[in-house]
Amino acid sequence: MTSSWQADRTFTTSIAMQDRLHELVPGGAHTYARGSDQYPEGMAPVVARGEGAHVQDVDGNWYVEYGMGLRSVTLGHAYAPVVEAVTDAARSGVNFSRPSVWELRAAEEFLSQVSGADMVKFAKNGSDATTASVKLARAATGRDLVAVCRTHPFFSTDDWFIGTTEMDAGIPDSQRALTVGFEYNDLGSLERLLAEHPGRIACVLLEAATGTAEPAPGFLEGVRSLADRDGFVLVFDEIITGMRWSRHGAQGLYGVTPDLSTWGKALGNGFAVSALAGKRELMELGGLRTDSARTFLLSTTNGPEATGLAAYLAVAQAYRERDAVAIMEERGRRLADGANAAAAALGIGDHFAVIGRPSCQVFVTRDHQGRPSQEFRTLFLQEMLQRGVLGQSFVISAAHTEDDVDRTVEAVGEALTLYVKALHAGSTAGLLRGRPVAPALRKFAAPRRIPDPGGA
């Protein structure tokens, strides 16, 4: 990787490729969070390759990257032991008409890692695993309602969840009505929900923690007690927390065992593998050792393909050899401390801050009135991109070095000097290259443009 900040970087080829992607792929990307609308206009790099904590775009620009494949990469891009394991597995064939040895090896490894689970079934994405948990809970309880934590942003691409978001077009009202919500760290809100829908809630689904919210003392234990008393199935979404909070997941860290848990993202260091795990009496409803009506749980052609499972096994081995979570937390604290010190030195600590769990941090951007601001977020992203830092967040990996972090902190300090100028002016007008970024899940496609200060 080049050591230069490349302050004169251009995006000509990325712009052309992004335009072509919009012609061929709805939204111009295969994940809404990867869309060009999430980046400053004309500054959405198309990536050519990655190496450790760095990526290079098609214009030849290098960046220190954060977000790391939407939190899926914890060991670094092109991490050699994982790549080698995947390559070796592929040489022997990847998909067969019967279970392979990879399925047994991966299941044994996973269940030794997640001590509260008796059985596991692998898939390719978190949405499929999470929707399977909902189906299993409904089958086990005979109930129809799903209770989700309202403050947790995403659980599945499927109707039962997406119907509760801004992007609800195409979802029947009957599906939306079957999902109800409660508040994180508010046990009373869940108790009230159970009282409002007696005997109807099949499962309670939540992340045990998020990057910006830790469980209050007794909260998770209280949810567990309510599940035991009421009979609903408790499901932890470990898609993000698994491998970032602990190799044993958030459930291992906080000591509360769910009935089911869903895993993905960092399980394969970016390779496609996800998992649904849980208690035998629930999981067997989708198996052959049951007298109950069978649940069509997960039955995917590519779920057990060898390369994804080989990637997971290599990741598990890497976590045994070194404490990747501890490295991410140490580097994350260094980044947050440096960035927040830069903001404080400029007198804008109330307007810009890096917050959250050190292994899964975000930055907060507020305008001159202290309100969360997409315009000020865009300005910060714009200036960071120009200085060689790519990321919608500061989600880190174990591949980030102290030098990467220190360079990032330097870039933050420089970017915030323009941020200060906008705060003093009370506006980003004249400082942005185009329209501001927009929330990924929103009702209408067109982002709002910043009015031209000249009135055009």
Side-chain angles (χ1 to χ4, degrees), residues 209-270:
T210 67
T212 56
E214 290 284 313
F219 173 69
L220 295 178
E221 292 85 354
V223 177
R224 176 70 267 175
S225 295
L226 286 176
D228 296 335
R229 185 185 77 194
D230 180 81
F232 63 76
V233 175
L234 176 57
V235 184
F236 281 176
D237 179 334
E238 295 263 21
I239 304 297
I240 292 172
T241 53
M243 315 303 282
R244 279 196 177 273
W245 268 236
S246 161
R247 65 184 290 263
H248 307 294
Q251 58 194 279
L253 183 65
Y254 301 122
V256 176
T257 302
D259 300 307
L260 299 171
S261 59
T262 61
W263 297 64
K265 290 195 184 289
L267 213 56
N269 198 50

Side-chain angles (χ1 to χ4, degrees), residues 444-455:
F444 297 103
R448 182 173 61 85
R449 298 190 70 87
I450 293 291
D452 186 276

Side-chain angles (χ1 to χ4, degrees), residues 339-354 364-368 370 376 379-380 412-425:
N340 289 334
L346 292 166
I348 60 168
D350 292 336
H351 299 274
F352 176 88
V354 177
V364 175
T365 53
R366 297 188 177 93
D367 66 12
H368 58 292
F376 277 79
L379 181 62
F380 180 71
V412 169
E414 293 177 2
L416 290 182
T417 59
L418 196 63
Y419 200 102
V420 170
K421 182 178 180 180
L423 288 172
H424 289 163

